[in-house]
Amino acid sequence: MKKLRLILIVFLSICVCTLFSSDFDSVTVETADSLFAEEEFRRGVHSYNRGAYNDAILLFEKALSYLPTENLILDWLGRAYYRAGMEDAALQHWQIASNAGYGGMLHANRIEVVRERRVSENPSPATTQFAEAGTFPGIVNENLIFSQPSAILANDNGTTWVLAYGSNELLLIDVNGFIINRVRGPLQGFDRPMDILRMKDGTLLVTEYAGDRIAVLDSNGVYKRSIGSKGVGLGQFVGPQYMALDSSENLYVTDFGNARVSVFDKDGNPLFNFGKKNGAFPGFSAPTGICIFSDIVYVADAVRGTIYSFDRSGNYTGMLVPEKTFGRPEALRLSGDYILTSDGNRICSVDIDTGAVFENGRTGSAPSRILCATPDVNGNILASDFVSNEIYVMSKMTELVGGLFVQIERVNSDEFPNVTLELKVENRQRQPVVGLKAENFYLTENGIPVMSQKLEGSAYSNQVCDIVVVLDRSMQTSQHNEALESALKEIADSMEGTGTLTVISSGSVPTIEYAGAPDNLGDFTVAALKTPVTDDCTTDLAFRLAGNTLVNGEKKRAIIYLTGASSLTHSGFQTYGLSEMVSYFNNNAIAFYTVNLTQNVLPEEIVYITEATDGESQYVYRPEGLSGIVKDVIATPNGSYQLSYTSNLNTNFGKDYLPLEVEAYLLNRSGRDEIGYYAPLE
């Protein structure tokens, strides 16, 4: 009997080992090690999906100690290190798995993208080559969709306003080229709409070339009124074309027929005109595109093939590029420190400082006339071709070759078989891809399409953010308590009662002083803080605590550091290095802002973190206030999406590792990620 019982125990152990080994590449160690590794691995996966990355690292490391060559554990350990900001360790473990033949091209591409991000900065738009990634045609199956697109205005949510000169309409198009809305303008309709511009409050302005007026629309395209009339007097037009706004929202309009630029205040009242021959300025022959950078007005002349510059009062200040640089320049759009212009069938960038011209792309040898080229929120260039009747979506060459970077960030299987997952879609330069719809995603389990796939939410449309304010409790900052109190109250007020506000003191030991609704912060005073002033702030621990607080919060999130110090204390970054901190913030989509309580130079470490996370440094008493920080956080593009589906897999009472694959598509680009999860134990 004892012998039979022993045989039965050995047989059951082998069965359990074999069951677990099916989840991994190979298991060649003893049964006990496999069982221990399975348990630690399962717990690690659950910790990872809860956002507890440090716990997940410890559990995966323990699982790996039982099965040192198991590639699936190495993959997950690398994921946990990556999300924790320790990219060197992540790459090391991923590379070991890759060398063993794990993951194929998908795994190798992830390693390549992460390495590429660590050693290279985003390329300058001027020197980047773009190629066609897709088109939105004006005619489909002999059906007219739109005619003669003239101007384009990209939106932060991935949609695009497109003016159709030939069909007299304004179209709202999504990232897939589907028309969401058609706007006809005033009661009598648009009369050859030429250019579109957005004001700070969202108001849209549309020039009507044949109507000799400017239509004023609300942010949704509903017509409100018009500006100007036909004629040669002040405030009148003969063929208005392109528009630009200065820092005071004065409106500058190129008037082609009158060969001048007409200027209006933000309410539409005419101010003055300029463009006649004056001194060194020869006068406009055919003014077309216009843009304004640092309140310098740049105007293209289609006949002379150049770009002139003026001050806000219309005084001539010079020529940006020599005459005949362009054949027929049209719309001018800003792209960073460059002017993006269209010229026949090519798109060029002009360096504002030097006037150097770089060609970014061409539409080919077919008849073409690009009237407008503008950058969109996803890093593409959108170009309207008046002759071929198409909208071109042009992407960086590296993006077309390398595709999208897709990461499944967490899987929630608490309600199995109903599964919810969060994923992030970016390009290779970490720029989020926004505007994707349900049809842009394809989910499978073991290669089999899932049931009831649904897009539950897209973070780019969120209007709520979570903020963690870190208070510097150093001796230097303690001299500016009044400014610190003012800054914190202003930030809390600007959240308008939404989201979660957390206040952390950066002292010798970081402390959470408050966490809750911004409205409940009350009459905050520095005297109420629990953390005393110190000569030795552990700044890195405070920042890390702030990041940990945000990981499971809203997808739009930021840390705001209030400091009056010009240098950090000795213990500032002893535990976590600067590169590790920046990676942690970037890999978890956490923006970092600094509010300077003095006008002194900030510590170089703080400047580095702020710039490396695309944050901003602001003076506490700047004229426009600090409310813009929260608005910037909400307006920041975010490529996180939440999907749900119904699983058909057998969980083996929650013991089996269940595979999951997702692919994201956008025009001619795609990206893929593979992961797995465990259902709840039964």
Side-chain angles (χ1 to χ4, degrees):
M1 178 66 76
K2 291 182 179 180
K3 184 175 181 181
L4 180 61
R5 186 179 303 168
L6 180 61
I7 293 173
L8 181 60
I9 291 173
V10 172
F11 175 75
L12 291 175
S13 298
I14 292 173
C15 290
V16 173
C17 177
T18 303
L19 176 65
F20 180 58
S21 69
S22 65
D23 298 331
F24 295 112
D25 295 339
S26 62
V27 176
T28 58
V29 294
E30 296 297 327
T31 301
D33 286 345
S34 300
L35 293 173
F36 291 144
E38 176 187 18
E39 180 59 27
E40 300 301 334
F41 180 75
R42 180 189 292 108
R43 292 171 59 199
V45 170
H46 286 313
S47 294
Y48 182 93
N49 285 325
R50 291 196 307 269
Y53 303 121
N54 290 338
D55 292 344
I57 289 171
L58 294 175
L59 291 166
F60 291 140
E61 290 277 17
K62 195 170 182 181
L64 197 63
S65 69
Y66 294 114
L67 298 177
T69 61
E70 179 49 59
N71 293 325
L72 185 62
I73 300 176
L74 287 167
D75 183 13
W76 274 90
L77 181 56
R79 289 176 184 266
Y81 273 127
Y82 176 78
R83 296 299 299 277
M86 292 174 271
E87 291 183 344
D88 282 331
L91 288 169
Q92 178 183 353
H93 288 88
W94 283 339
Q95 190 62 57
I96 293 172
S98 181
N99 292 342
Y102 174 82
M105 290 297 296
L106 178 63
H107 188 71
N109 182 67
R110 184 199 306 157
I111 295 173
E112 179 187 350
V113 170
V114 174
R115 279 181 176 160
E116 193 176 284
R117 288 175 172 181
R118 288 166 57 81
V119 300
S120 63
E121 299 180 355
N122 289 342
S124 164
T127 58
T128 302
Q129 287 296 312
F130 289 78
E132 182 184 320
T135 61
F136 304 151
I139 298 177
V140 178
N141 297 327
E142 299 184 355
N143 295 317
L144 180 67
I145 308 301
F146 55 80
S147 176
Q148 295 178 309
S150 54
I152 300 172
L153 178 64
N155 299 317
D156 289 339
N157 63 1
T159 61
T160 304
W161 289 108
V162 176
L163 273 179
Y165 181 93
S167 50
N168 287 316
E169 57 188 343
L170 174 62
L171 309 173
L172 184 62
I173 301 178
D174 71 9
V175 292
N176 300 304
F178 297 119
I179 295 176
I180 303 172
N181 190 19
R182 291 180 184 268
V183 176
R184 307 292 183 181
L187 185 62
Q188 67 273 30
F190 289 126
D191 195 354
R192 301 308 180 196
M194 191 69 186
D195 192 23
I196 181 170
L197 180 69
R198 181 172 25 238
M199 302 186 74
K200 290 180 181 178
D201 64 358
T203 297
L204 301 175
L205 304 177
V206 174
T207 55
E208 298 182 62
Y209 184 79
D212 298 313
R213 60 180 180 258
I214 299 172
V216 181
L217 318 173
D218 68 14
S219 59
N220 296 315
V222 177
Y223 177 79
K224 296 166 62 177
R225 61 190 179 93
S226 65
I227 298 171
S229 60
K230 183 179 181 63
V232 298
L234 183 64
Q236 294 185 314
F237 305 107
V238 178
Q241 288 197 315
Y242 299 100
M243 299 176 288
L245 294 171
D246 67 11
S247 59
S248 301
E249 286 202 282
N250 293 320
L251 176 65
Y252 293 69
V253 186
T254 55
D255 186 347
F256 191 84
N258 287 318
R260 67 189 185 189
V261 173
S262 297
V263 185
F264 300 79
D265 66 17
K266 66 178 182 179
D267 296 318
N269 302 308
L271 298 178
F272 61 92
N273 306 315
F274 67 89
K276 293 183 178 179
K277 177 177 172 58
N278 184 6
F281 177 53
F284 288 125
S285 295
T288 50
I290 184 171
C291 68
I292 300 176
F293 182 81
S294 296
D295 278 342
I296 300 297
V297 183
Y298 297 93
V299 184
D301 192 298
V303 171
R304 294 197 175 96
T306 187
I307 298 175
Y308 298 110
S309 64
F310 306 84
D311 64 18
R312 293 173 60 190
S313 299
N315 299 309
Y316 178 66
T317 58
M319 187 183 294
L320 183 60
V321 297
E323 291 188 358
K324 303 304 178 182
T325 296
F326 303 108
R328 184 181 175 85
E330 291 286 350
L332 304 183
R333 296 287 194 261
L334 292 177
S335 178
D337 295 336
Y338 297 86
I339 296 175
L340 196 64
T341 185
S342 50
D343 181 31
N345 70 337
R346 65 183 188 138
I347 299 169
C348 300
S349 293
V350 182
D351 190 318
I352 292 176
D353 291 330
T354 66
V357 178
F358 307 87
E359 184 176 301
N360 298 115
R362 288 177 178 263
T363 58
S365 57
S368 177
R369 182 186 171 196
I370 302 174
L371 291 190
C372 179
T374 187
D376 75 354
V377 68
N378 289 328
N380 304 311
I381 291 178
L382 305 177
S384 58
D385 195 322
F386 192 80
V387 172
S388 70
N389 199 30
E390 290 182 309
I391 303 295
Y392 295 103
V393 181
M394 308 189 75
S395 300
K396 303 179 184 71
M397 293 292 292
T398 54
E399 299 298 325
L400 292 176
V401 174
L404 304 174
F405 189 55
V406 179
Q407 304 167 75
I408 301 175
E409 298 195 313
R410 64 182 64 189
V411 180
N412 185 345
S413 61
D414 292 346
E415 303 296 328
F416 191 88
N418 298 319
V419 180
T420 302
L421 68 145
E422 296 176 5
L423 60 91
K424 184 190 295 182
V425 184
E426 300 174 318
N427 65 17
R428 297 176 73 87
Q429 279 75 45
R430 209 190 292 274
Q431 189 171 8
V433 176
V434 306
L436 300 182
K437 307 298 182 184
E439 57 267 27
N440 294 107
F441 299 99
Y442 181 62
L443 296 179
T444 58
E445 287 184 322
N446 262 339
I448 301 173
V450 301
M451 296 175 56
S452 306
Q453 177 181 322
K454 182 180 179 182
L455 178 62
E456 297 288 349
S458 307
Y460 66 82
S461 61
N462 291 359
Q463 296 301 309
V464 177
C465 67
D466 284 349
I467 300 290
V468 176
V469 178
V470 178
L471 310 179
D472 179 12
R473 296 294 285 152
S474 67
M475 296 297 295
Q476 295 180 67
T477 300
S478 67
Q479 309 301 314
H480 309 281
N481 287 342
E482 183 179 347
L484 187 144
E485 291 176 359
S486 172
L488 182 55
K489 289 178 181 178
E490 188 173 354
I491 292 168
D493 290 342
S494 65
M495 294 180 70
E496 298 180 349
T498 62
T500 299
L501 175 65
T502 304
V503 180
I504 294 176
S505 286
S506 173
S508 56
V509 176
T511 305
I512 297 179
E513 304 280 358
Y514 172 81
D519 290 349
N520 296 334
L521 187 64
D523 296 325
F524 164 79
T525 61
V526 172
L529 295 175
K530 295 175 284 187
T531 305
V533 174
T534 178
D535 286 323
D536 207 16
C537 293
T538 54
T539 309
D540 57 343
L541 297 182
F543 289 173
R544 191 75 182 193
L545 177 60
N548 294 343
T549 303
L550 290 170
V551 161
N552 291 318
E554 292 287 340
K555 294 303 177 184
K556 292 186 175 180
R557 50 210 183 193
I559 297 170
I560 304 176
Y561 182 49
L562 308 186
T563 181
S566 57
S567 61
L568 295 182
T569 59
H570 173 70
S571 299
F573 280 89
Q574 280 195 333
T575 305
Y576 295 98
L578 289 175
S579 61
E580 186 175 321
M581 192 70 67
V582 167
S583 296
Y584 181 52
F585 292 159
N586 284 334
N587 294 344
N588 291 282
I590 298 173
F592 186 92
Y593 291 80
T594 305
V595 174
N596 192 347
L597 305 180
T598 72
Q599 292 184 311
N600 297 328
V601 176
L602 290 168
E604 60 182 10
E605 298 92 338
I606 302 303
V607 173
Y608 172 75
I609 294 175
T610 305
E611 293 178 350
T613 57
D614 293 329
E616 216 175 279
S617 296
Q618 298 182 0
Y619 176 53
V620 62
Y621 293 125
R622 68 177 192 155
E624 57 268 47
L626 300 176
S627 61
I629 295 179
V630 175
K631 293 179 181 177
D632 287 347
V633 174
I634 293 175
T636 300
N638 191 296
S640 295
Y641 299 85
Q642 186 180 79
L643 294 94
S644 66
Y645 68 94
T646 301
S647 176
N648 287 320
L649 297 179
N650 181 12
T651 70
N652 189 29
F653 304 103
K655 296 179 181 179
D656 281 359
Y657 178 79
L658 307 179
L660 170 63
E661 307 90 34
V662 62
E663 193 152 4
Y665 301 88
L666 180 57
L667 300 177
N668 292 338
R669 292 185 292 165
S670 67
R672 179 180 173 86
D673 193 18
E674 298 175 354
I675 204 169
Y677 64 95
Y678 286 95
L681 289 171
E682 299 178 22

